[in-house]
Amino acid sequence: MLLLNILSSPISIALVALSVTAYYLVPYFTSYQSLSKIPGPFIAKFSNIWVAYAARRGRKFAAVDGAHRKYGKMVRIGFNHVSMADESALQVVYGHGNGFLKDHYYQAFVVGTTGVFNTRDRAEHTRKRKIIAHAFSPLSVGEFEPHMTSNILRWTNQFDKMASQNSNGSGSTFNIMPWFSYLAFDIIGDLAFGAPFGMVDKGRDEAEVQNIPGGPIRYTSAVDVLNRRGEISSTLGWMPALRPYAKYLPDPFFRKGVKSVQDLNGIAVAAVASRLDAVEKGLDEEKAGRKDLLTRLIQGKDANGERMGRKEVTAEALTQLIAGSDTISNTSCGVFYWILHGERAAPGTIIPKLQAELDAAIPSSAAVADYASVKHLPFLRQCIDEGMRMHSTSALGLPRIVADGTGVDFEGAHFPPGTVLSVPSYTIHHMAEIWGNDVEEFRPERWTRLNDRQKMAFNPFSYGPRACVGQNVAVMELQIIIGTLFRRYDFELHQEKLKSHEGFSKKPVECYTSMRRRL
């Protein structure tokens, strides 16, 4: 009672108000005064509340895009954060040798040990990336294909059953988005942990969780956990002061999100444990014939010849689990939708051309497209690139902090050290100034005549030394998945728009379709 009386006294209230005012106003008038002329939402001049609220709603990409349409190319979206919707800013913000660091935002994605995705230290990132690059060498990538193929084959077996449910062979209308998630999880499980999660065979979202090595195992909905983890980490990344107290906040979004962060790490711990135990007991993985991503991570060495320990391998496997499931499932569904939407908008211009190209390249006896058959198909790649532009799975502007020297200048504005800069991929992918008046239309043919601005603006995997190290595997997987789908089935789209919700990446909410086997 005494404490309550003290806290509710006029002096205490005045001190709290003064502290809050100083916390938000002092940086505005001192450290970041040079940003005062950059337009943006009023509250964003003093705090990150505006961008954090947009992240909490799963609509950061839309909020930032709307701000750019209202205020222009440079928008202040946080007290020290400027979003730059200009393709030439990609080199400034993400290019080699610019002295920038990943922002403190990424610390919200760390669980115990940092991985190549969320480490902020330059030297540590260089060390980790060297090891990871070994795992994604051309030789390694070629060895991944059998694992992809076996899982896609089980996936198409399930689709064959669904397509034959009706007498006309068209199947019933269903939401295909979860099935993209099941496939992506099973493939990355096979690659990063040594065995698929079994979601495709079971037709449901389920994975083992072990929060500590050797601890009890339980089951959870992995896709749901991954979605919540992205949402909570993206939100708390902008409000780091809330992180220690998130699980105590009355909004269940935070309580459930914190639990999902722990569960997702538990999925990686459970999946990695058996493989690492085998290695530590002296079993030879290579002689056993297992050539996958986890084997490469275990065998990889840094510049000093040192290998990663158990915690670090688990952290990197978790990074690949997130990137290989979330990014692939969201992107493949987005590309799938836009191909069908483009055909619906202009009948006879997309699907017949794509299927003719696939029919000529893929043997009729093949249930799953092999990479050699599809990797050089021009129209397939054009459809995938245009789908990635339209959907923009990596939609948010990845934040970088100006860390060295006296700052950086761009377009007449000065950004001192401590300023956070980002380039929003979704916005530059949807600027008519760059892509033309048909920017909101699915036009694969635009990729046959790209100009220099368009080539620079296309940014699905980020840019520079911190770009996605697994992008070649991602494109390979997309080509095999999309090639197999449209070679094997005819689809009909049953929804007008593709609604999305954003955690760290932008995820289609649902995608309803029906299908039948092609003769």
Side-chain angles (χ1 to χ4, degrees), residues 33-275:
Q33 190 175 14
S34 61
L35 307 183
S36 61
K37 294 183 179 179
I38 297 176
F42 178 76
I43 195 174
K45 298 177 184 293
F46 307 101
S47 77
N48 285 339
I49 291 175
W50 180 84
V51 69
Y53 177 67
R56 163 65 182 85
R57 295 174 57 240
R59 300 291 293 170
K60 178 181 174 288
F61 76 95
V64 171
D65 185 61
H68 278 292
R69 293 178 187 276
K70 180 177 180 179
Y71 297 108
K73 284 189 176 183
M74 286 198 289
V75 178
R76 191 173 184 177
I77 63 172
F79 72 96
N80 68 337
H81 189 167
V82 176
S83 178
M84 304 193 295
D86 189 315
E87 77 282 359
S88 61
L90 289 169
Q91 174 61 37
V92 175
V93 178
Y94 306 107
H96 289 268
N98 61 9
F100 289 16
L101 294 176
K102 283 193 170 183
D103 182 44
H104 300 283
Y105 166 84
Y106 287 88
Q107 291 174 332
F109 293 84
V110 178
V111 182
T113 303
T114 61
V116 70
F117 164 72
N118 49 38
T119 187
R120 299 182 63 244
D121 182 84
R122 291 175 189 154
E124 184 65 7
H125 178 267
T126 299
R127 185 188 75 84
K128 290 177 181 292
R129 190 173 178 93
K130 183 181 185 301
I131 299 174
I132 302 302
H134 163 78
F136 288 102
S137 68
L139 174 62
S140 298
V141 170
E143 292 171 343
F144 295 164
E145 185 176 356
H147 304 296
M148 294 181 187
T149 299
S150 63
N151 286 284
I152 296 173
L153 181 59
R154 287 194 291 271
W155 195 56
T156 57
N157 287 339
Q158 293 282 46
F159 279 13
D160 286 351
K161 294 175 185 177
M162 288 188 281
S164 62
Q165 287 176 354
N166 292 349
S167 59
N168 62 2
S170 63
S172 57
T173 300
F174 72 107
N175 181 11
I176 198 173
M177 178 62 223
W179 286 95
F180 282 114
S181 295
Y182 302 158
L183 175 63
F185 260 93
D186 274 6
I187 288 177
I188 197 60
D190 217 348
L191 291 177
F193 304 123
F197 288 99
M199 292 187 188
V200 167
D201 287 340
K202 290 180 287 189
R204 65 177 182 269
D205 172 16
E206 184 179 271
E208 289 185 355
V209 176
Q210 187 179 44
N211 290 112
I212 57 173
I217 291 179
R218 57 188 176 84
Y219 292 89
T220 190
S221 298
V223 178
D224 183 61
V225 162
L226 183 60
N227 293 339
R228 289 185 182 277
R229 181 264 189 189
E231 294 166 359
I232 186 71
S233 298
S234 291
T235 302
L236 292 178
W238 305 115
M239 303 292 287
L242 289 181
R243 286 183 64 196
Y245 315 105
K247 64 182 178 180
Y248 304 112
L249 296 176
D251 185 348
F253 168 86
F254 293 98
R255 184 178 64 257
K256 293 179 180 178
V258 170
K259 183 178 183 300
S260 292
V261 171
Q262 297 167 346
D263 283 350
L264 189 63
N265 186 62
I267 291 172
V269 170
V272 169
S274 60
R275 288 286 297 281

Side-chain angles (χ1 to χ4, degrees), residues 69 338 389-390 426 430 436-442 446:
R69 293 178 187 276
W338 281 106
R389 182 189 72 83
M390 293 296 293
Y426 178 86
H430 288 261
N437 293 331
D438 61 353
V439 63
E440 297 300 334
E441 299 176 21
F442 183 79
R446 77 172 79 246

Side-chain angles (χ1 to χ4, degrees), residues 273-283 285 298 309-311:
S274 60
R275 288 286 297 281
L276 291 186
D277 288 344
V279 172
E280 290 170 1
K281 290 176 183 177
L283 300 179
E285 293 282 337
I298 295 169
R310 176 184 284 262
K311 289 184 178 180

